[in-house]
Amino acid sequence: QVQLVESGGGVVQPGGSLRLSCAASGFTWDYYTIGWFRQAPEKEREGVSAISSSGDSTYCVDSVKGRFTISRDNFKNMVYLQMNSLKPEDTAVYYCAARRRSLGCLAQEYDFWGQGTQVTVSS
């Protein structure tokens, strides 16, 4: 059974940091790209970042470049999203997802999804 479980969300002040974690099981980890997506209220889900099985990564929105860092631990089947200098506009539910192909930022191209973790940036 495929499972993706996100953790690490919470409430943080502007300028603060959070590290999101995605734990994966039930599929052949080595073949999958893992992506982070987010969805704010009344907005479409958007790609944030993705990392391939070999460790190549991409950042899908300019607003997170230089602030967010994606990483992957292939021994633990974990992917992380380190988020620094958080802004109120980063507030959203963050999801991790898996796809058996190369890097991509389109939600419709991902096969498996977690339930999401809420990130709220507010003073």
Side-chain angles (χ1 to χ4, degrees):
Q1 181 182 357
V2 174
Q3 271 198 315
L4 293 166
V5 180
E6 304 93 339
S7 61
V11 180
V12 63
Q13 292 187 341
S17 298
L18 285 173
R19 188 176 83 152
L20 304 184
S21 299
C22 174
S25 61
F27 59 93
T28 308
W29 173 258
D30 291 348
Y31 298 153
Y32 281 78
T33 285
I34 306 296
W36 283 101
F37 293 79
R38 65 186 180 186
Q39 188 165 18
E42 301 182 358
K43 291 190 175 181
E44 291 189 358
R45 191 170 297 189
E46 68 172 355
V48 175
S49 184
I51 188 164
S52 71
S53 57
S54 62
D56 295 328
S57 62
T58 189
Y59 296 90
C60 307
V61 290
D62 288 342
S63 64
V64 307
K65 293 177 181 178
R67 299 190 298 123
F68 291 10
T69 303
I70 192 169
S71 62
R72 180 175 181 137
D73 186 335
N74 286 336
F75 291 104
K76 297 182 179 179
N77 285 17
M78 297 284 293
V79 170
Y80 306 98
L81 187 68
Q82 178 67 44
M83 305 187 297
N84 298 328
S85 302
L86 282 162
K87 304 175 181 180
E89 50 264 43
D90 295 317
T91 295
V93 178
Y94 283 71
Y95 300 88
C96 67
R99 63 180 244 169
R100 188 172 175 169
R101 58 181 85 181
S102 58
L103 290 172
C105 294
L106 296 177
Q108 58 264 38
E109 295 180 351
Y110 280 74
D111 304 308
F112 307 118
W113 290 83
Q115 294 299 307
T117 186
Q118 176 70 47
V119 171
T120 302
V121 185
S122 174
S123 56

